[in-house]
Amino acid sequence: MRPGWDEYFMQIARTVATRATCPRASVGCVIVRDQRILTTGYNGAPRGVAHCADVGCTMLDNHCLRATHAEANAIVQGALHGISLQFGSAYCTHQPCVNCSKLLISAGVTKIIYEHPYPDAVATTLLGEAGVTLAVYSSLESGRS
């Protein structure tokens, strides 16, 4: 069967996540507009910095400080290549944290679809205040088209 758009883009986000270089989590993000992929990102160290997989994580308060989050990397790719993300939708394997939520809001993303919850009340509040739709992906509801 031909996958629906949500299923298609979430499958791609899962594939992007396989490139992650922080062993704590494999996270992928695909930002699309009008059913076209604009950018992708996965969690890993910044350009020119050793990856967690090679030198270990730099931990503080149970968070890795070495890795850049997938959503932030997807936004950076847009900036590096002159691609506007305004009015885009982000397909994320994991619900964005508060910092990534703020970046997605500022980049003009209007919808976030995620598969795995990472509850953050502040992120949810800010996304709602900014008018960004936050939706849980469900393969049963994705439909075919």
Side-chain angles (χ1 to χ4, degrees), residues 26 53 94 104 110 127 136 140:
S26 293
H94 295 69
L104 290 165
T110 57
L127 291 165
V136 179
L140 298 175

Side-chain angles (χ1 to χ4, degrees), residues 39-61:
T39 63
T40 66
Y42 54 86
N43 56 320
R47 181 185 310 208
V49 175
H51 291 289
C52 299
D54 298 327
V55 298
C57 295
T58 303
M59 300 297 295
L60 179 66
D61 297 329

Side-chain angles (χ1 to χ4, degrees), residues 2-145:
R2 183 176 185 206
W5 289 113
D6 285 347
E7 184 176 353
Y8 175 69
F9 291 126
M10 192 57 72
Q11 285 175 359
I12 293 170
R14 287 187 208 113
T15 299
V16 170
T18 66
R19 294 280 305 152
T21 61
C22 181
R24 298 192 72 245
S26 293
V27 181
C29 176
V30 176
I31 301 179
V32 306
R33 185 176 53 236
D34 300 325
Q35 282 78 45
R36 300 287 180 257
I37 295 172
L38 302 173
T39 63
T40 66
Y42 54 86
N43 56 320
R47 181 185 310 208
V49 175
H51 291 289
C52 299
D54 298 327
V55 298
C57 295
T58 303
M59 300 297 295
L60 179 66
D61 297 329
N62 204 32
H63 288 88
C64 178
L65 300 180
R66 180 170 287 279
T68 301
H69 289 187
E71 302 89 342
N73 274 325
I75 293 166
V76 167
Q77 288 305 307
L80 281 172
H81 299 289
I83 300 168
S84 171
L85 306 179
Q86 190 169 17
F87 308 117
S89 296
Y91 287 83
C92 306
T93 57
H94 295 69
Q95 183 177 352
C97 69
V98 67
N99 290 323
C100 288
S101 293
K102 291 186 290 186
L103 292 172
L104 290 165
I105 291 166
S106 294
V109 169
T110 57
K111 185 174 184 179
I112 300 168
I113 303 94
Y114 67 91
E115 189 166 36
H116 302 288
Y118 181 81
D120 186 322
V122 175
T124 302
T125 298
L126 293 174
L127 291 165
E129 187 176 332
V132 176
T133 302
L134 186 62
V136 179
Y137 170 79
S138 169
S139 60
L140 298 175
E141 299 172 6
S142 65
R144 309 264 180 208
S145 57

